[in-house]
Amino acid sequence: MKHLFWPALLAALLAGCSGAPSKDALIEDRGVKAEPAKPQEAAKPADAAKAAEAKAAELKAADAKAAESKAAEARKAEAAKVQTQALTSAVTEVKPLQTGAATGAVQTHNAAASPLRDPNNPLSKRRLQYDYDSAAIKEEYGAILEAHAKYLKGNKAANVILQGHADERGSREYNLALGQRRSEGVSKALQLLGVPDAQVEAVSLGEEKPLAEGNEEAAWRQNRRVEILYQGE
Amino acid sequence: MAATLSRLAPMPRFLLSLLLLLLASAAQAAMTIEIIGGAARKIPVAVLPFSMAQPGWLNPADVVTSDLSRSGYFRLLDTRDAGPLDDPRNVPLPAWKGKGADAVVLGQVLPAANGKVEVRFWLLDAVRQTSLLAMAYTTTPAGLRIAAHRVADAVHEKLLGEPGPYSGRIAYILKRGGRYELQVADADSQNAVTVVSSPEPIISPAWSPDGARLAYVSFEDRKPVVYVQSLADGTRKAVARFRGSNSAPAWSPDGKRLAVALSKDETSQIYLIDLASGVAARFTRGGALDTEPVFSPDGQWLYFTSDRGGSPQIYRAALAGGEIKRVTFEGDYNVSPDLSPDGKTLAFVHRRDGRFLVATKDLASGQTQVLTDTTHDESPSFAANGRMILYATLVGGRGVLATVSVDGRVKQRLTQSGDLREPAWGR
């Protein structure tokens, strides 16, 4: 049964992913127009009638703008408050996040005790990598997912968080959504292997936590991934 | 602290800034602004030094000159030898016309009641020899910089017929020293203040319509969570911390709702969160990725990115419900929508030949225009005046912020030590 299961699962997941063919854009670069506005023209409809001498009168007229000035004043006071507050107390310090990339540094003294950290156990394999614009799980990860599914079914208290990642190209928020699709693909695979939904949370870190820095495919390939983290790690 | 000090004592703001700069480490270096291109015909303007009742105060003329010069629409004449004048009748307009000036700005700063100051200024037409504008603002000595930005806004509007962008504020993320800082600064990148500092990524800052709060996405809790933070006191609240990912906040024009992307029920769908009750109502359905929502300024429509058609494109849906319509068609990657304040123009990121470029679409005519010639543009955000777009891009592998005018002619770049990204222009 198992031999049939994986190709079927992969086919199902692949079917859900559409590769987008690259096409050239049809956008027109418009020519730029001459700048129309000049002070002379601006003067015409405005207040050509007003004489330059009317200093006091005009300032009174400008006082009709008093309401605006008051509003401006309120905004200024508010802006000043923001700066003051922010400079003194508004900095919100937050605690560090442990990511999959950091698991190697976590509690190494337990390495012998837990199968999750035994390098000879497939459970220690926590990373799945992906092709460009794809959330399809590669066949090579089948054994790893089966090992995690078996462990989770046998350890009902264990929970995993699946962190999806994307490479850096394009919109950060769209990449967050792409990473989510990847982590949910792994979540669905685990559920199909019998893991209860409650033990798995699929999330995405988008392009924000790359494994490799660099603006080329070698780095991007490493960064398109899902990391499996057990609770407490 | 700086603001407090300069408010208590009429201390020169620029001196204080200078002092802070000297005290600060290299990592504190202020942003620098580089102008790339400009309008074909720049309006020549002479900004005379303002007459100052107290010599220590910031002279607004310096800020006005810097603002107008940076915009790319004005050519500032040398006024170093011109003495301050506080009476428009005494301005030798023919002489300024002879030096090539189309317009002259003069002004004065006077003490007002309760320790405040009054900034008066006049804008004169040197060609017709008439007055175009006379206005007064009351502020505190510490508020002189902000008042000066408003003078620049008024001059810009009078001469170009559209509101100036100088008194707005921007928010962005600065990554430096392994930390992520959400900063708020004046539109000229001065007065930058860190409002959140975290060892983990922060993305997608969004200004509330009244400018008093910022929504953003923080990764401090092993996954993306949406927060709303008050700028006045720095307090914040997690408004979307559902199972799965929570991201892409956008404010409704009335400031009462946030549109967000949540994965609590299905891969990245759009929800509307009522901020008073905290209830999240699902807005989009179907297995596609839906994200990056943004409200139209009239509150009638929601624009968002979706791959429901096979590639990421921008769609529009009526908030009242109804048919969802595709808006972008050119190419196979159009994302990150933002709407101009008049709701007539869509800005977005368009991929062409592997490059990510800022483009606009006139929603009435459907006409699309690519505005930039860089390669990794992200997060376009309209200025409140609707004439400039702020975005993030990469230069030499480093994140910088840049602005481009909606006609594509005037470009500026804001750089700082460290990576800048995810800019948002306050409304």
Side-chain angles (χ1 to χ4, degrees), chain B residues 6-322:
Chain B
S6 50
R7 230 182 0 202
L8 291 176
M11 196 169 168
R13 182 58 169 271
F14 66 94
L15 263 185
L16 200 63
S17 308
L18 195 64
L19 194 68
L20 284 174
L21 272 181
L22 291 173
L23 290 173
S25 64
Q28 280 285 353
M31 267 188 262
T32 54
I33 298 176
E34 180 192 342
I35 300 153
I36 313 143
R41 185 192 176 273
K42 296 182 180 183
I43 299 175
V45 181
V47 180
L48 308 183
F50 281 27
S51 154
M52 307 297 292
Q54 202 158 317
W57 290 338
L58 168 75
N59 196 313
D62 299 337
V63 176
V64 174
T65 299
S66 157
D67 278 350
L68 296 180
S69 152
R70 220 180 50 246
S71 76
Y73 291 107
F74 302 96
R75 182 163 61 81
L76 277 297
L77 274 65
D78 186 353
T79 56
R80 274 173 302 184
D81 296 333
L85 291 172
D86 53 14
D87 187 336
R89 287 172 300 190
N90 297 338
V91 177
L93 283 177
W96 280 112
K97 186 187 170 192
K99 287 179 192 171
D102 277 6
V104 176
V105 178
L106 71 154
Q108 60 182 152
V109 181
L110 302 165
N114 304 322
K116 298 206 166 148
V117 294
E118 187 180 64
V119 180
R120 297 179 179 183
F121 75 96
W122 296 264
L123 173 63
L124 308 178
D125 183 332
V127 179
R128 290 166 174 260
Q129 312 211 358
T130 56
S131 169
L132 296 174
L133 196 63
M135 285 177 78
Y137 295 119
T138 305
T139 182
T140 59
L144 276 171
R145 175 175 288 280
I146 296 164
H149 288 315
R150 292 180 59 83
V151 173
D153 276 347
V155 170
H156 182 109
E157 180 160 11
K158 199 69 192 175
L159 296 181
L160 291 177
E162 63 195 30
Y166 312 109
S167 64
R169 284 186 299 169
I170 58 172
Y172 52 88
I173 311 299
L174 170 62
K175 186 187 177 195
R176 62 176 174 189
R179 290 185 74 84
Y180 299 81
E181 297 179 28
L182 171 54
Q183 292 198 327
V184 172
D186 290 354
D188 64 354
S189 80
Q190 300 297 303
N191 291 339
V193 171
T194 299
V195 297
V196 186
S197 169
S198 170
E200 294 302 334
I202 302 167
I203 62 169
S204 305
W207 288 92
S208 65
D210 64 1
R213 290 171 291 172
L214 278 175
Y216 57 88
V217 177
S218 173
F219 290 74
E220 70 209 56
D221 198 20
R222 294 161 62 106
K223 67 179 204 175
V225 171
V226 178
Y227 290 87
V228 168
Q229 179 164 325
S230 157
L231 289 175
D233 59 16
T235 57
R236 66 176 189 161
K237 186 181 170 196
V239 295
R241 197 207 290 273
F242 297 98
R243 188 175 159 83
S245 295
N246 309 265
S247 66
W251 294 83
S252 63
D254 63 6
K256 291 178 179 166
R257 290 191 291 176
L258 273 189
V260 292
L262 306 178
S263 68
K264 70 189 186 80
D265 300 310
E266 204 177 342
T267 305
S268 195
Q269 301 288 295
I270 290 166
Y271 294 73
L272 297 169
I273 295 182
D274 178 79
L275 288 170
S277 69
V279 172
R282 187 161 175 180
F283 186 72
T284 61
R285 291 178 189 281
L289 302 185
D290 296 338
T291 186
E292 301 186 313
V294 60
F295 285 85
S296 64
D298 64 6
Q300 301 295 304
W301 304 93
L302 205 63
Y303 289 76
F304 59 96
T305 303
S306 175
D307 73 347
R308 60 188 59 209
S311 68
Q313 299 288 347
I314 295 160
Y315 291 78
R316 185 182 84 165
L319 276 145

Side-chain angles (χ1 to χ4, degrees), chain A residues 21 24 30 33 73 85-86 90 92-94 97 132 171 173 180-181 184 197 200-201 204 209 233, chain B residues 4 116 179 193 195 197-198 200 204 222-223 232 243-245 247-248 267 292 307 332 351 353 367 409:
Chain A
D24 217 359
R30 264 199 311 213
K33 290 179 195 145
E73 210 181 314
Q85 289 291 346
T92 310
E93 295 283 343
V94 294
L97 160 75
Y132 173 64
S171 154
E173 283 288 357
Q180 185 69 28
R181 179 177 275 160
E184 282 179 10
D197 179 44
V200 183
E201 183 179 13
S204 176
K209 302 292 276 187
E233 288 183 336
Chain B
T4 316
K116 298 206 166 148
R179 290 185 74 84
V193 171
V195 297
S197 169
S198 170
E200 294 302 334
S204 305
R222 294 161 62 106
K223 67 179 204 175
R243 188 175 159 83
S245 295
S247 66
T267 305
E292 301 186 313
D307 73 347
D332 63 357
R351 185 174 66 191
D353 302 330
Q367 179 95 333
R409 309 185 80 135

Side-chain angles (χ1 to χ4, degrees), chain A residues 152-187:
Chain A
L152 286 163
K153 285 190 284 183
N155 296 272
K156 296 293 183 197
N159 293 308
V160 285
I161 186 164
L162 306 168
Q163 294 178 329
H165 298 260
D167 70 40
E168 66 176 14
R169 288 170 292 174
S171 154
R172 288 175 190 272
E173 283 288 357
Y174 187 69
N175 284 339
L176 189 80
L178 283 177
Q180 185 69 28
R181 179 177 275 160
R182 286 182 178 136
S183 66
E184 282 179 10
V186 175
S187 174

Side-chain angles (χ1 to χ4, degrees), chain B residues 332-418:
Chain B
D332 63 357
Y333 193 98
N334 295 298
V335 299
S336 305
D338 191 38
L339 283 169
S340 60
D342 64 7
K344 291 179 179 168
T345 309
L346 180 78
F348 57 101
V349 169
H350 165 71
R351 185 174 66 191
R352 177 196 278 182
D353 302 330
R355 299 164 73 200
F356 297 89
L357 304 161
V358 174
T360 54
K361 187 179 198 76
D362 182 303
L363 291 170
S365 70
Q367 179 95 333
T368 298
Q369 186 182 7
V370 171
L371 301 183
T372 58
D373 51 9
T374 30
T375 55
H376 290 85
D377 301 346
E378 291 180 12
S379 311
S381 169
F382 272 99
N385 73 350
R387 303 300 299 168
M388 289 165 86
I389 295 167
L390 177 66
Y391 63 101
T393 190
L394 285 182
V395 174
R398 214 154 57 85
V400 303
L401 305 186
T403 61
V404 59
S405 58
V406 289
D407 62 7
R409 309 185 80 135
V410 181
K411 290 172 182 154
Q412 301 170 11
R413 203 176 277 164
L414 286 65
T415 54
Q416 191 178 31
S417 54

